[in-house]
Amino acid sequence: MEQDREIELSSKREGVRGTISILDVGCGDGASLLDTGACGCKFAVGADIVFESVLEAKRKLPWAHFVVARGDALPFKDKCFDNLICRVAIVLMPIVPALDEMRRVCRPGAAVTLNVHDLRFALFDLRRRLRSPTLKSVVGRLWVIVNGIVFIVTGRNVKMPFTMPDHGWETWQTRGSMRRALKKAGFGSVQVPFTVQAKRL
């Protein structure tokens, strides 16, 4: 379905079973940790800015650990995770500092899997909002589209004025723009067209 259209950027597709440690940034209710087979890890951690989501994730996955934290300010030591996933949440963050933090907490050789939104998703979302428009929602969707262009041109997304502290960063990406951002942040092993493979150098 069009609304489910995402770009997946990953380093490996065979899962994370047997991995010593994994971090899910923007974990929500913990579904991504289950989907990746993180129950086979010795140490699985989820981080999300929404306290209620963290509580729900802990209820569903009592064997994992969860913290309330922003993706661009992760409360972990350097080089402590073997795998990192971030399913769609990266599009809601300041991307450059978030990628810097992800690299910091990953061990050399760690695999990183990101899901991002492309322009078609942003346009679909705008059309959906226009069916029952409010000024705030339409302006917000237009900002996302403009912010994607800004990210392609400058390599950074920009916070929408007059939004809450952890909001207003949303953007869309291309494989090329994310590949450049990943390389600049210190990730390697990048391939296209259908997946972008990123591994912490």
Side-chain angles (χ1 to χ4, degrees):
M1 295 176 62
E2 188 71 23
Q3 63 265 39
D4 294 327
R5 184 172 179 82
E6 299 165 356
I7 303 171
E8 185 169 281
L9 306 98
S10 66
S11 62
K12 293 182 179 179
R13 299 298 300 149
E14 58 266 22
V16 297
R17 290 188 181 278
T19 295
I20 296 174
S21 59
I22 184 171
L23 172 64
D24 184 358
V25 180
C27 64
D29 65 0
S32 294
L33 282 173
L34 281 176
D35 291 344
T36 57
C39 56
C41 295
K42 294 182 179 178
F43 187 62
V45 181
D48 201 283
I49 63 170
V50 180
F51 179 70
E52 292 77 13
S53 295
V54 169
L55 286 180
E56 178 64 14
K58 185 61 179 177
R59 186 188 68 79
K60 288 183 177 179
L61 290 75
W63 46 267
H65 306 272
F66 296 93
V67 297
V68 177
R70 290 168 29 200
D72 60 333
L74 296 170
F76 307 110
K77 294 180 179 179
D78 296 356
K79 303 178 182 178
C80 57
F81 291 100
D82 301 301
N83 265 279
L84 184 146
I85 58 174
C86 184
R87 296 292 172 87
V88 183
I90 188 74
V91 306
L92 305 174
M93 302 175 189
I95 291 174
V96 170
L99 289 178
D100 287 342
E101 276 292 271
M102 291 176 189
R103 182 183 185 278
R104 180 184 66 78
V105 302
C106 284
R107 294 190 177 105
V112 175
T113 301
L114 309 174
N115 290 79
V116 298
H117 287 157
D118 65 7
L119 177 59
R120 280 176 283 189
F121 180 93
L123 292 174
F124 171 86
D125 204 24
L126 175 61
R127 288 195 300 270
R128 183 173 63 84
R129 303 293 179 105
L130 287 172
R131 292 187 189 123
S132 53
T134 65
L135 181 61
K136 182 178 179 180
S137 66
V138 172
V139 169
R141 293 306 93 190
L142 290 172
W143 177 266
V144 172
I145 292 171
V146 171
N147 212 10
I149 297 170
V150 171
F151 182 67
I152 291 171
V153 173
T154 68
R156 290 182 174 269
N157 53 329
V158 181
K159 181 174 168 52
M160 185 177 181
F162 311 113
T163 53
M164 296 174 65
D166 292 320
H167 295 77
W169 293 98
E170 189 172 352
T171 184
W172 58 274
Q173 298 83 19
T174 64
R175 292 177 178 85
S177 64
M178 281 304 296
R179 179 176 57 185
R180 289 189 294 273
L182 284 160
K183 282 189 171 182
K184 189 171 183 180
F187 294 93
S189 303
V190 179
Q191 294 182 346
V192 290
F194 298 111
T195 61
V196 176
Q197 298 184 336
K199 185 172 286 189
R200 203 268 198 206
L201 296 175

